[in-house]
Amino acid sequence: MAKASEIWTGSVLRINGELVSVEEYIHRTPGNLRAFYQARMRNIKTGKIVEYRFRPDEEVTFARVETNDYQYLYEDGDYLVVMDNETFEQHNIPKFLFGDSIRFLNESMTLTVAFESDEPIIARLPNSVELIVTYSEPAVKGDTATSALKQATVETGAEIRVPLFVNEGDKIKIDTRTGEYMERIR
């Protein structure tokens, strides 16, 4: 058990039997009232956002979470098989943990996975990936007056919006959190 004053943004807590990840943590001291900690947390299983106020002396339970980088090997039904590069141990990670960013998953990509007592609880791709455009509609001359976008398909099969100057065969950088085009790689 630890005190609420020891919590930090990014820590994983067990509250009422549920695992939550702290996304925002602020110390507040309103005028004539006692100080408290305001926390915005995300339930790891459901993804639901929860707001909670902690007293400074309130006891909390930190979850023992091990975060490590793993190499993506292959897809197996509703799971992705990943391998630890140091121990060569393989793990099955449920696809739903990756959310919408899984559409940018490419072979041999390095993924970050967090385990709590041998159960994967958090999984994510790198913040950005570089992929090759496999299909892109041709740009129409005269459409460049504004920052117009067009549909493009990348090598993983995901469709994104890109600027008109991006063509088939170009390598582009994509933000996996938002699914947006970042830049063209030369």
Side-chain angles (χ1 to χ4, degrees), residues 21 33 47 50 57 71 73 103 158 173 178 181:
S21 174
L33 301 174
V50 178
D57 61 341
Q71 181 181 357
L73 297 177
R103 62 193 177 126
K173 186 183 246 185
T178 62
Y181 165 88

Side-chain angles (χ1 to χ4, degrees), residues 50-68:
V50 178
E51 296 268 340
Y52 193 80
R53 286 184 178 183
F54 293 99
R55 295 183 318 274
D57 61 341
E58 189 172 341
E59 291 191 348
V60 294
T61 305
F62 282 92
R64 292 191 179 269
V65 176
E66 284 187 38
T67 304
N68 205 347

Side-chain angles (χ1 to χ4, degrees), residues 64-181:
R64 292 191 179 269
V65 176
E66 284 187 38
T67 304
N68 205 347
D69 290 338
Y70 296 89
Q71 181 181 357
Y72 167 62
L73 297 177
Y74 60 91
E75 189 175 331
D76 185 21
D78 290 338
Y79 295 92
L80 299 179
V81 179
V82 298
M83 177 181 70
D84 188 336
N85 287 331
E86 294 176 14
T87 64
F88 303 108
E89 186 178 349
Q90 294 183 6
H91 302 280
N92 289 342
I93 311 300
K95 285 183 185 178
F96 73 86
L97 289 179
F98 292 95
D100 194 38
S101 67
I102 197 166
R103 62 193 177 126
F104 302 113
L105 184 64
N106 209 354
E107 296 174 359
S108 302
M109 188 175 280
T110 301
L111 310 173
T112 303
V113 181
F115 287 90
E116 194 257 337
S117 65
D118 293 334
E119 180 186 343
I121 57 171
I122 300 171
R124 62 181 172 268
L125 272 64
N127 291 340
S128 64
V129 294
E130 294 177 5
L131 298 172
I132 297 172
V133 176
T134 56
Y135 173 75
S136 168
E137 297 173 2
V140 178
K141 190 172 186 177
D143 275 352
T144 57
T146 61
S147 58
L149 300 174
K150 63 181 180 178
Q151 284 292 114
T153 306
V154 293
E155 60 188 291
T156 61
E159 289 188 2
I160 64 165
R161 310 267 304 150
V162 297
L164 295 175
F165 59 81
V166 174
N167 299 313
E168 274 185 40
D170 287 352
K171 191 175 210 178
I172 60 173
K173 186 183 246 185
I174 302 167
D175 187 336
T176 58
R177 297 164 292 185
T178 62
E180 294 178 0
Y181 165 88

